[in-house]
Amino acid sequence: MTRERLAESMRRREYRYLTDENGDVCGLWAYRLFSFYVVRGSILQVRGRWSRQAGIERLWEVLAFTDSWNATHAHPKVYVRVLDDGRVHVLTETSVTITSGLNDAQLDHQVAVGLAAGTAVFDALDHRYPDPVLTAGG
């Protein structure tokens, strides 16, 4: 498994993507950043970041959401990062062991699963915390 194979998967699926300064494959899906990693040559990870952020005053609410999600769903793993300025980011991660390798169809499937799983979490967050700009009348 290589970054090049991940990029090939993106092209097969006609996804728009880019490679970052470290050579990792990433892209935006519905304004949400997803990155694709091969960890220690044996794990494929798809990580997503919610396109919005919460203030520190909402940390316990957001943690309750992530705890509930993790308790009731097998994947993706959902977690929170608090930045130094108090902004709360919600992230998702799906991981699959690839020590035996993946053929192209399996790779494409795992990429799609990671994107769909992360999107489900972010859609639930968007529903719970509607964007005030988008929902404002007039």
Side-chain angles (χ1 to χ4, degrees):
M1 177 57 62
T2 63
R3 293 171 175 160
E4 291 75 24
R5 284 204 58 219
L6 284 167
E8 289 171 13
S9 176
M10 298 292 152
R11 287 190 294 272
R12 271 194 305 277
R13 300 184 66 80
E14 298 182 358
Y15 290 157
R16 298 183 72 161
Y17 72 96
L18 56 94
T19 53
D20 67 13
E21 64 276 1
N22 298 319
D24 293 314
V25 176
C26 55
L28 293 175
W29 280 263
Y31 300 103
R32 293 129 175 193
L33 177 65
F34 285 87
S35 301
F36 307 85
Y37 302 96
V38 178
V39 180
R40 294 185 302 276
S42 62
I43 299 169
L44 171 63
Q45 286 187 340
V46 179
R47 297 180 195 160
R49 187 176 75 199
W50 190 31
S51 58
R52 296 177 37 220
Q53 53 203 345
I56 194 70
E57 66 279 356
R58 295 277 177 120
L59 175 60
W60 297 111
E61 270 180 65
V62 175
L63 284 172
F65 171 87
T66 61
D67 287 349
S68 174
W69 186 279
N70 289 329
T72 58
H73 296 79
H75 70 274
K77 174 173 72 174
V78 183
Y79 57 100
V80 169
R81 254 192 213 139
V82 179
L83 302 182
D84 290 342
D85 63 2
R87 291 180 294 154
V88 177
H89 288 264
V90 179
L91 301 112
T92 63
E93 182 179 292
T94 59
S95 299
V96 62
T97 302
I98 56 171
T99 51
S100 299
L102 295 174
N103 65 33
D104 288 347
Q106 291 168 323
L107 173 58
D108 292 353
H109 176 75
Q110 291 303 320
V111 165
V113 165
L115 290 170
T119 295
V121 171
F122 301 143
D123 286 349
L125 283 165
D126 286 343
H127 181 73
R128 177 173 276 198
Y129 301 105
D131 186 326
V133 173
L134 295 175
T135 58

